[in-house]
């Protein structure tokens, strides 16, 4: 049943005959709006993560006008509300520390202003989960407008991919295989248009997952930011949210357990970022869906990797779009998806896939010719990670997936940076590099340090991958035999805190095991000697973060933001 204008949430601000509403209307008039601009219309809050320090969202400054055009055309009243930008390359120590900050900001902005619905404009890594988490908790009709990937990078005619090729050529520079001049050319050519990272990093992974969850219009996530189709999608998104308000179609109507399974299948088939695990768990818990790590492992055992996109594959998001994009990939996976899940346009996922087809089966592989038959992610457990750890086997050298080696332990990032290239470091290609104090509290914010650099001496010998273990995350654009998200983290006394240089560590991906090969008595002895590190923050957001952030296997949300308990709307006096 369609809502009536007087049932709109914003009616309380604009539509009633009291002194407060007089104030709201007179202030709207001050901004140049006539009553006919907003009376009886849904107020659509556009949460825009544009800023002058987020290169992935530079086009949002103009794109927001296209969203507004759609809202006006459909009979809504657009109100742009800037929110935190979470610029992945610039914000320190890591945007992950501020994901929950933006989630909280998004929720409270929607709650405290006269919003009837929301357009969420995000794309750079953490902006997507953050906006969705906040909008889910507020549970007003909301639609996501993805930033879209940037165009392919270019260097001397070679294609460059965000992140992946930075790591790759940095290693070549350190190994002496390219010179400073080439490195500067790569710097100038690797990011040459607006849009988020165009490898299958966290940004492309999460916007695709959110499309499969039903929170965008069909096809929205794959369109490159610089493509005219992106502007048209922005207008259509603006149009659609107005009807979603009248229909009262809210995030929790879409975000079911089956929809999250679809999103996990999507992440796996894309060879997507391990970061998606943390984000999807956090998003699911906001929707009241109890998603656990093992669900990723279960679905990974049967889901093929079909996107031949870096870092797991060869191509980039621009190629993926031309090959048919996410809709083509999902159409190929129909039998693995719950097709009856509702989506933002009112149709089911299955209906939205009608007519989708692969235009280039080199880029979007068919079921008959997958990049990997299964096993895009694996969840490990063992005495080093009682609450779980993850690895992306597709991004690792296969010989390392079954490995026993001696640990080389780094106390924290600074220790690692100071010693990794020390010629005196006792390290061999079979060593297992261990980094601790890089988790949610220890980092803090679980920075993307999980792809520890290969020691320079080994690089020069031609070594390009080693087993690395940490409680950190890894950029979705990274690769290597990196065991990540070890939980509980070392900072709070997880067993990673007890590992010592020289210990034997066993990684058994097939058996899903991560073991520190010392006996229980020795582990107990070390535990008794362990001392908790001092708290890093005495005040401010850091202190709040440290006190309330959860572990990786729980999604790293704040304990007081999780769940679906109702929060009252503000009273308007
Ligand atoms: Fe924004 Fe990679 S830096 S998505």
């Amino acid at each position: 049943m369609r809502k009536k204008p007087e049932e709109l949430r914003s009616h309380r601000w604009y539509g009633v005959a009291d002194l407060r509403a007089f104030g709201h209307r007179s202030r709207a008039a001050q901004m140049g709006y006539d009553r006919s601009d907003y009376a009886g219309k849904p107020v659509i809050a556009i949460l825009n993560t544009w800023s002058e320090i987020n290169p992935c969202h530079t086009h949002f400054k103009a794109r927001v006008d296209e969203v507004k055009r759609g809202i006006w055309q459909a009979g809504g009243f657009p109100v742009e509300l800037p929110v935190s930008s979470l610029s992945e390359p610039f914000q320190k120590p890591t945007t992950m520390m501020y994901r929950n900050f933006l989630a909280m900001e998004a929720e409270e902005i929607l709650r405290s202003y006269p919003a009837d619905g929301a357009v969420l404009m995000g794309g750079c890594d953490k902006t997507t989960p953050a906006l969705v988490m906040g909008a889910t908790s507020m549970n007003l009709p909301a639609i996501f407008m993805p930033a879209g990937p940037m165009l392919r990078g270019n260097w001397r005619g070679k294609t460059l991919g965000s992140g992946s090729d930075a790591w790759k050529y940095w290693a070549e520079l350190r190994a002496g295989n390219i010179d400073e001049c080439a490195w500067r050319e790569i710097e100038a050519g690797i990011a040459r248009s607006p849009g988020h990272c165009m490898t299958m990093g966290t940004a492309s992974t999460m916007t695709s997952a959110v499309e499969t969850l039903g929170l965008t219009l069909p096809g929205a996530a794959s369109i490159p930011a610089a493509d005219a189709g992106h502007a048209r999608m922005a207008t259509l998104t603006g149009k659609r949210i107005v009807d979603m308000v009248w229909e009262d179609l809210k995030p929790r109507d879409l975000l079911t357990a089956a929809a999250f399974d679809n999103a996990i299948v999507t992440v796996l088939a894309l060879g997507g970022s391990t970061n998606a695990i943390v984000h999807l768990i956090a998003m699911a818990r906001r929707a009241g869906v109890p998603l656990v790590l093992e669900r990723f492992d279960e679905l990974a055992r049967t889901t093929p990797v079909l996107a031949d996109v870096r870092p797991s594959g060869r191509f980039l998001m621009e190629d993926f779009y031309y090959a048919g994009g996410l809709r083509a990939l999902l159409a190929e996976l129909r039998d693995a998806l719950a097709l009856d899940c509702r989506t933002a346009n009112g149709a089911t996922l299955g209906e939205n896939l009608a007519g989708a087809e692969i235009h280039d089966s080199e880029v979007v592989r068919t079921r008959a010719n997958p990049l990997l038959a299964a096993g895009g992610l694996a969840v490990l457990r063992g005495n080093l990670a009682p609450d779980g750890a993850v690895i992306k086997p597709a991004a690792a050298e296969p010989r390392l997936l079954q490995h026993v080696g001696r640990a080389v332990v780094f106390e924290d990032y600074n220790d690692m940076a100071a010693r990794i290239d020390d010629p005196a470091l006792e390290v061999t290609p079979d060593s297992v590099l261990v980094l601790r104090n890089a988790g949610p509290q220890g980092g803090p914010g679980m920075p993307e340090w999980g792809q520890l650099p290969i020691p320079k001496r080994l690089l020069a010998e031609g070594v390009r991958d080693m087993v690395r273990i940490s409680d950190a995350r890894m950029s979705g654009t990274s690769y290597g035999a990196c065991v990540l998200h070890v939980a509980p983290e070392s900072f709070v006394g997880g067993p990673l805190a007890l590992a010592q240089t020289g210990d034997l560590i066993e990684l058994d991906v097939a058996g899903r095991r991560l073991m520190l090969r010392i006996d229980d008595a020795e582990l107990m002895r070390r535990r008794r000697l362990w001392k908790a590190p001092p708290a890093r923050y005495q005040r401010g957001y850091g202190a709040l973060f440290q006190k309330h952030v959860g572990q990786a296997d729980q999604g790293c949300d704040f304990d007081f933001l999780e769940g679906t308990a109702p929060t009252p709307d503000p009273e308007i006096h």
Side-chain angles (χ1 to χ4, degrees), residues 156-303:
R156 297 181 185 175
K158 285 194 179 70
T159 297
L160 294 176
S162 315
S164 305
D165 281 311
W167 319 128
K168 177 176 152 187
Y169 287 107
W170 176 241
E172 298 306 330
L173 182 73
R174 293 171 71 230
N177 296 333
I178 61 168
D179 61 15
E180 273 296 331
C181 175
W183 181 239
R184 286 181 77 140
E185 287 174 16
I186 292 167
E187 177 182 298
I190 198 165
R192 60 188 188 91
S193 85
H196 59 65
C197 292
M198 74 327 228
T199 39
M200 191 53 74
T202 305
S204 301
T205 305
M206 287 310 301
T207 55
S208 300
V210 162
E211 178 174 332
T212 309
L213 281 168
L215 293 170
T216 73
L217 289 180
S222 307
I223 309 170
D227 195 290
H230 193 268
R232 295 194 297 274
M233 180 57 77
T235 305
L236 292 171
T237 298
K239 284 185 182 173
R240 176 60 194 154
I241 185 61
V242 177
D243 277 336
M244 286 174 74
V245 170
W246 292 126
E247 295 163 16
D248 202 25
L249 183 56
K250 302 186 291 295
R252 287 195 186 127
D253 300 329
L254 310 177
L255 299 180
T256 60
F260 277 100
D261 275 359
N262 286 342
I264 296 169
V265 167
T266 300
V267 169
L268 294 165
L270 291 171
S273 164
T274 44
N275 286 329
I277 300 172
V278 179
H279 298 320
L280 285 175
I281 288 174
M283 288 158 58
R285 291 161 76 110
R286 295 287 189 111
V289 173
L291 183 58
V292 294
L293 270 182
E294 265 59 32
R295 191 64 186 142
F296 290 83
D297 197 283
E298 285 161 18
L299 291 169
R301 289 174 190 269
T302 53
T303 306

Side-chain angles (χ1 to χ4, degrees), residues 56 88-89 124-125 196-197 203:
C56 307
E88 190 65 28
C124 189
D125 286 18
H196 59 65
C197 292

